[in-house]
């Protein structure tokens, strides 16, 4: 059941309606049933619901023992049990074949591959469950005595497909005290859903036709097409992933829950480190709190700090999948972030001698362009993993065939079916979205403050854009596979 299917919309509408018919004390239990019904909709997911239930039960029991026990050794043992169990599930379902290849190379024996289907939302619900156990161990979260409330948190269906990765201290008060029905909340949630569908179906899915065509055969493409596809992939990825999060936040809002915001105008970042503080905030925050800080964070020397940053990004690359290209993407981002962090004091002192930096607006513009350039260069590895392309062939091809650059890009666009008015529509739509979301603005909150005429004009405009230019049936969300 994908977020862009009519089945999902029907399921969500029925769940929301029935949810508000129940007394508030009963709603978390109904949503728990709805979560598992959503999970078991696809036949291949039904046996794997036991993995979700098992991870929930193990982390809840471990958290309960950790929170109630005063024996430090026992607390550590159950923490290791929870963390080991969570990592073990990830290793088995996502990384077994990669580990099998490594063991085969080390031992010389043939370690068999397994054709495993990863449970839906494995990386998301595992990280959410682990965060609860670790927070209880650190005494940042109270023990949850109600297993069913905790199970509802781990399996919450709006976050199951592509996050955001929630924390229990944030969601717990909302589960314990369900909100009354609110027209204003539902109207804001519906527009957030509509906004997400527009970003996904109008912009991301149309761009994916060109990006997939170019990255599907990079050896046959010239430099202009490879550069254009890489730049457009950055826009596609943002519109796809943030659009999914908009839908998830809108659905949760209508159900009475406020989720973590996952993006904060990342393309306005003026450094690579700031970019990752604005992009996929729930994941970067998770790695910061549970990997970077325990390694020493910024409390140690510069060399150790840079090593910690590298480790975090390498783990982040592996989180996305068992593919060397994701690992190289993580290495690229880690090296760029570490160098940026280490050289920041020197660069800041040199700014006063740079004539281009004397005007603040020009300095900010140049820093944003440099940050965006680093991001798109790193995405060559990411896109290579998604489309099974050789990143080094893409890098090599970017410097070739720049004669008649625009004509070659225009021809390829026409070959993929992006012609006529569609390029203009996509350019205007992307510009409108980026402008509307600038400075971390909440579009749903902003539109609720507008007058009736403007508000409903925007509603109809977004709906018409989806109906007229939406790429129906193109693809699932990119981050759904992670």
């Amino acid at each position: 059941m994908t977020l862009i299917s009519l089945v999902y919309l029907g399921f969500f509408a029925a769940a929301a309606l029935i949810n508000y018919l129940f007394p508030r004390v009963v709603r978390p239990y109904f949503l728990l049933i709805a979560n598992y019904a959503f999970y078991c909709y696809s036949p291949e997911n039904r046996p794997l619901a036991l993995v979700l239930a098992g991870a929930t039960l193990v982390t809840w029991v471990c958290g309960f023992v950790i929170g109630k026990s005063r024996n430090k050794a026992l607390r550590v043992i159950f923490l290791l049990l929870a963390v080991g169990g969570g990592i073990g599930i990830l290793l088995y379902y996502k990384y077994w074949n990669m580990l099998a290849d490594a063991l085969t190379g080390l031992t010389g024996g043939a370690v068999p591959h397994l054709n495993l289907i990863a449970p839906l939302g494995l990386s998301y619900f595992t990280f959410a469950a682990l965060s609860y156990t670790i927070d209880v161990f650190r005494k940042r979260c109270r023990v949850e005595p109600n297993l069913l409330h905790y199970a509802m948190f781990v399996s919450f269906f709006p976050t199951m497909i592509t996050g955001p990765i929630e924390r229990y201290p944030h969601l717990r008060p909302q589960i314990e005290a369900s909100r009354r029905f609110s027209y204003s909340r539902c109207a804001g949630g519906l527009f957030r859903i509509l906004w997400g569908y527009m970003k996904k179906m109008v912009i991301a899915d149309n761009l994916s036709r060109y990006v997939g065509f170019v990255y599907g055969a990079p050896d046959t493409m010239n430099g202009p097409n490879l550069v254009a596809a890489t730049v457009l992939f950055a826009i596609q990825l943002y519109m796809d992933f943030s659009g999914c999060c908009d839908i998830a936040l809108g659905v949760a809002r209508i159900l009475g829950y406020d989720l973590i915001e996952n993006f904060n105008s990342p393309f306005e970042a003026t450094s690579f480190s700031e970019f990752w503080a604005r992009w996929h905030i729930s994941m970067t925050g998770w790695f910061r709190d549970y990997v970077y800080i325990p390694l020493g964070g910024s409390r140690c020397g510069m060399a150790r700090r840079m090593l910690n940053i590298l480790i975090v990004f390498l783990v982040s690359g592996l989180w996305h999948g068992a593919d060397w290209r994701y690992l190289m993407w993580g290495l690229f981002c880690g090296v760029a972030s570490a160098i940026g962090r280490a050289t920041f004091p020197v660069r800041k002192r040199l700014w006063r001698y740079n004539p281009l930096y004397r005007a603040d607006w020009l300095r900010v513009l140049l820093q944003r362009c440099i940050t965006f350039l680093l991001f798109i260069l790193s995405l060559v590895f990411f896109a290579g993993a998604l489309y099974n392309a050789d990143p080094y062939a893409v890098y090599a091809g970017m410097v070739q065939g720049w004669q008649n650059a625009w004509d070659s890009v225009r021809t390829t666009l026409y070959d993929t079916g992006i012609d006529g008015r569609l390029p203009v529509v996509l350019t205007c739509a992307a510009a409108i979205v980026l402008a509307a979301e600038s400075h971390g603005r909440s579009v749903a909150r902003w539109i609720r403050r507008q007058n009736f005429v403007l508000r409903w004009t925007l509603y109809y405009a977004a709906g018409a854009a989806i109906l007229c230019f939406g790429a129906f049936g193109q693809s699932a969300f990119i981050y759904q596979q992670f």
Side-chain angles (χ1 to χ4, degrees), residues 40-91:
C40 294
Y41 173 78
S42 299
E44 62 269 17
N45 284 331
R46 290 168 191 168
L48 299 174
L50 294 175
V51 178
L52 172 62
T56 301
L57 182 61
V58 168
T59 51
W60 178 79
V61 170
C62 290
F64 191 85
V65 174
I66 291 169
K68 297 297 183 180
S69 175
R70 296 184 179 180
N71 187 309
K72 184 176 181 179
L74 187 64
R75 285 163 51 84
V76 171
I77 289 172
F78 275 86
L79 174 65
L80 293 176
L81 178 62
V83 173
I87 294 176
I89 294 172
L90 287 171
L91 290 176

